[in-house]
Amino acid sequence: MTVQTSPPLAPIPPHYTTLEVAKLLGMAVRSIQLMVDRGELQAWKTAGGHRRISRASVDTWLRERAADDAQTASALEIVSQAPASSSPQATQGHRQRILLIEDSVHFQNLVRLLIEHQFPQMELHVANDGISGLMLYGQLQPDVLIVDILLPGIDGATLITALRSRPEFAKSALIVITSLSTEERAPYAFALNDVKVIYKPQLVNELPLALSAVAKHKES
């Protein structure tokens, strides 16, 4: 009796094409290209000029996204349990302006959720990139500027440096949010001295405290 054996399985390649990652993550190809440009995914190009994206970096991104989803769930729980703000500013009708410059829809929604429930006296405006953020800043002259470090167009550190040359910038409280570790922030240290920096995994706990401090300072 002859025993037939199955051919050995082909090894799983350690990389994806851009199109494969786009389908896997449910995003547009251009979005994946921007993620590579921002360093969120690791990639290289073949001799023929085709981009290949590290499977390990995609797995890491998916794990971090799961952590982001857990963070959102935590925020929802905090919001559902915390009483709405009843600060004097809310009752007097004064609405401080916050400008958030952030390209991640997840963190845009997370910040909006926190502000709408805990700081109804504050008015949130959002820009998706550094260039539109600069333009919107000039229009709004916000009380608070919340800016990510890694942004398409102009990175957050360059944006901050540009705004510091404007006299009106002294009237805005500045908060930086980032997914970069302390070591990874080193190239941007020139813009972050004496700036409140919030590591994104701690956003739910630290941003309300930072905004409360800003509100108290504005009242005094």
Side-chain angles (χ1 to χ4, degrees):
M1 179 177 178
T2 302
V3 178
Q4 295 183 345
T5 59
S6 300
L9 296 175
I12 299 175
H15 53 74
Y16 294 105
T17 65
T18 304
L19 181 58
E20 287 173 336
V21 175
K23 290 180 178 178
L24 178 65
L25 302 185
M27 298 181 180
V29 169
R30 179 56 181 159
S31 297
I32 302 303
Q33 292 170 344
L34 289 173
M35 291 170 69
V36 171
D37 293 341
R38 295 196 299 265
E40 295 176 24
L41 298 174
Q42 302 300 313
W44 64 94
K45 287 187 177 180
T46 66
H50 300 290
R51 197 189 302 261
R52 295 292 180 264
I53 300 174
S54 160
R55 181 181 293 270
S57 70
V58 174
D59 292 343
T60 298
W61 187 92
L62 287 170
R63 286 195 299 271
E64 291 176 349
R65 181 55 183 269
D68 288 345
D69 291 343
Q71 187 180 42
T72 300
S74 175
L76 286 168
E77 183 177 357
I78 290 172
V79 166
S80 66
Q81 295 177 357
S85 172
S86 57
S87 67
Q89 289 185 358
T91 57
Q92 293 169 6
H94 176 71
R95 291 175 65 81
Q96 294 182 350
R97 291 178 175 176
I98 299 176
L99 173 58
L100 170 66
I101 308 178
E102 167 63 70
D103 62 324
S104 166
V105 174
H106 167 75
F107 283 103
Q108 289 176 6
N109 291 336
L110 188 58
V111 171
R112 183 177 289 108
L113 177 68
L114 292 170
I115 290 174
E116 285 180 351
H117 190 271
Q118 299 192 36
F119 301 93
Q121 75 276 18
M122 294 183 171
E123 180 180 292
L124 179 64
H125 300 262
V126 178
N128 294 312
D129 59 76
I131 295 175
S132 60
L134 275 174
M135 296 175 60
L136 195 54
Y137 183 91
Q139 297 171 15
L140 295 173
Q141 297 188 20
D143 299 279
V144 184
L145 174 63
I146 304 174
V147 58
D148 191 8
I149 293 178
L150 299 180
L151 293 169
I154 301 176
D155 67 64
T158 303
L159 182 147
I160 291 168
T161 302
L163 287 176
R164 279 179 172 153
S165 65
R166 301 187 182 187
E168 66 269 22
F169 186 63
K171 300 177 183 179
S172 299
L174 174 62
I175 300 172
V176 169
I177 60 175
T178 182
S179 58
L180 298 178
S181 66
T182 303
E183 294 76 14
E184 292 170 330
R185 297 172 208 165
Y188 308 99
F190 66 92
L192 301 180
N193 289 333
D194 300 321
V195 174
K196 174 63 177 177
V197 180
I198 297 176
Y199 187 42
K200 283 184 176 180
Q202 276 81 53
L203 185 71
V204 170
N205 293 323
E206 293 192 15
L207 183 61
L209 295 175
L211 290 176
S212 293
V214 169
K216 289 178 181 179
H217 178 73
K218 294 287 184 179
E219 290 175 8
S220 62

